[in-house]
Amino acid sequence: MLVLHSPLQARHHSRQFLRHGRFVATRDVPARADNILAALRADGHVIREAPDHGPAPVAAIHTPEYLDFLATAWPEWQRIEGAAEEVMPYVFPVRGMDHAYPTSVAGRAGWHAQDLWAPIGEHSCAVAMASANLAVEAAAQVLAGAPMAYALCRPSGHHAFADMAGGNCYLNNAAIAAQYLRRGHARVALVDVDVHHGNGTQAIFYARDDVFFASLHRDPVDYHPFFCGHAQERGTGAGMGCNLNLPLPAGLGDGAVLAALETACTRITAHGATALVVSLGVDGHEEDPTQGLAITHDGFGRIGARLAALDLPTVIVQEGGYNIGTIARCVSTALAGFEGRRAGA
């Protein structure tokens, strides 16, 4: 399988991360991508960097104001006397009291953030753009006839809204790939198997019927992102019925996850999608520090095999996974599942 990566990824490493009221070390460290890349190289995958596709594919998903903010926030922030080294908001719009777009970087930082888990450093924008560019190239390869391609995206993307960062995500790589696939496919499906609900992805496509979104995740009633990802969220307007959330109780393993995936696959087939994007989060692994689900390595292989059995041209985009000791094997096993089924297993 073609694996796409960018050496720029190591330049993004957040120094501020707030959890339960305390600043702690971020789990999104450069070694996540490094370990995956080493394992996939050892597996014999074709590994390439991506040509620059320019800003248009990203602008097809994200608002002009948000993209301008990402590009200018860090240098503007540095001009604030006494500011921290990274952009982190301290005030947010209150529901119903967001009547004007602020001009100061401090105000815009709050406007364009859903939480305090996406600080912006000197290289964050450039690295996020490089990550999104990998997803675009994977989609371009699939449009050109490749049966599948994997984008080793870091930072991840599925918590990024059209105009907001959050959850270690700045640009929604999977959504950008799905939109790019629309150049050759009338209907696309996007399935998210990260342990956290892809709230940004859902919001982007919630009123659309051309991209079917399905998410398998730990039940957000007591888990991040809390306010989104519940079963009753089915879409709106033209998108009614094109959004499927399959929340799972804490600690469930392979059997329950695969049963939920079967439901998602049935709905994807019914939707008539002719191309697929997979948000491949492996933080549902039984040893991941997020402690959400209990998927085994073999379980990720079976997830890959079942999605491959849909027999759709497929873009696989990396999302979460935070156990440095297991992430590489999780991804390697998932991709082997995709390839094994494609080979006729």
Side-chain angles (χ1 to χ4, degrees):
M1 184 187 305
L2 175 62
V3 170
L4 296 154
H5 86 104
S6 170
L8 288 177
Q9 290 170 326
R11 300 177 73 182
H12 170 70
H13 189 178
S14 297
R15 306 301 177 187
Q16 303 178 93
F17 192 81
L18 193 68
R19 181 177 176 82
H20 297 156
R22 294 184 181 274
F23 282 103
V24 298
T26 180
R27 291 169 175 165
D28 184 21
V29 296
R32 295 177 59 243
D34 295 341
N35 288 11
I36 293 171
L37 186 64
L40 298 186
R41 182 175 284 118
D43 287 345
H45 292 284
V46 177
I47 297 173
R48 297 179 191 161
E49 296 180 32
D52 185 5
H53 288 272
V58 175
I61 289 295
H62 293 283
T63 67
E65 295 82 5
Y66 179 58
L67 294 177
D68 178 72
F69 166 73
L70 286 181
T72 62
W74 188 82
E76 287 188 34
W77 190 260
Q78 300 314 298
R79 295 196 287 269
I80 300 175
E81 184 177 355
E85 64 178 300
E86 295 174 306
V87 180
M88 180 174 281
Y90 60 88
V91 62
F92 297 87
V94 177
R95 288 189 296 270
M97 300 293 286
D98 51 358
H99 305 303
Y101 184 70
T103 58
S104 74
V105 66
R108 286 185 291 135
W111 185 278
H112 292 299
Q114 57 181 294
D115 57 33
L116 299 178
W117 287 8
I120 298 172
E122 180 178 5
H123 304 293
S124 299
C125 180
V127 176
M129 288 293 291
S131 182
N133 190 64
L134 297 177
V136 175
E137 174 62 12
Q141 290 289 328
V142 166
L143 285 176
M148 64 183 74
Y150 167 77
L152 178 45
C153 294
R154 180 186 173 270
S156 303
H158 71 152
H159 295 309
F161 287 64
D163 62 351
M164 286 192 295
N168 295 312
C169 301
Y170 302 85
L171 298 173
N172 198 308
N173 308 306
I176 291 165
Q179 182 65 36
Y180 199 87
L181 286 174
R182 285 283 288 104
R183 298 183 179 198
H185 295 272
R187 292 196 164 200
V188 175
L190 199 166
V191 60
D192 190 325
V193 298
D194 191 279
V195 75
H196 304 102
H197 177 253
N199 54 338
T201 311
Q202 172 173 301
I204 287 167
F205 296 117
Y206 203 60
R208 291 174 52 172
D209 63 358
D210 57 333
V211 178
F212 180 88
F213 176 65
S215 180
L216 290 67
H217 49 272
R218 161 96 178 257
D219 194 332
V221 69
D222 61 352
Y223 198 71
H224 184 276
F226 298 107
F227 312 112
C228 188
H230 303 279
Q232 67 268 27
E233 298 156 20
R234 300 179 53 234
T236 189
M240 176 57 71
C242 296
N243 192 90
L244 174 66
N245 287 325
L246 298 161
L248 301 167
L252 293 189
D254 296 352
V257 172
L258 287 161
L261 182 62
E262 193 63 38
T263 298
C265 289
T266 298
R267 290 284 298 277
I268 288 168
T269 299
H271 181 256
T274 56
L276 177 68
V277 177
V278 179
S279 276
L280 179 62
V282 295
D283 41 5
H285 185 259
E286 58 188 347
E287 296 178 19
D288 195 89
T290 55
Q291 299 180 327
L293 297 172
I295 305 171
T296 66
H297 289 111
D298 178 67
F300 282 110
R302 293 166 68 188
I303 288 170
R306 180 61 187 95
L307 289 171
L310 290 170
D311 199 25
L312 299 174
T314 301
V315 173
I316 306 164
V317 175
Q318 186 61 47
E319 301 286 1
Y322 303 102
N323 184 327
I324 298 302
T326 62
I327 186 173
R329 184 178 170 194
C330 288
V331 174
S332 175
T333 304
L335 297 195
F338 275 97
E339 293 185 313
R341 177 67 67 173
R342 290 282 185 180

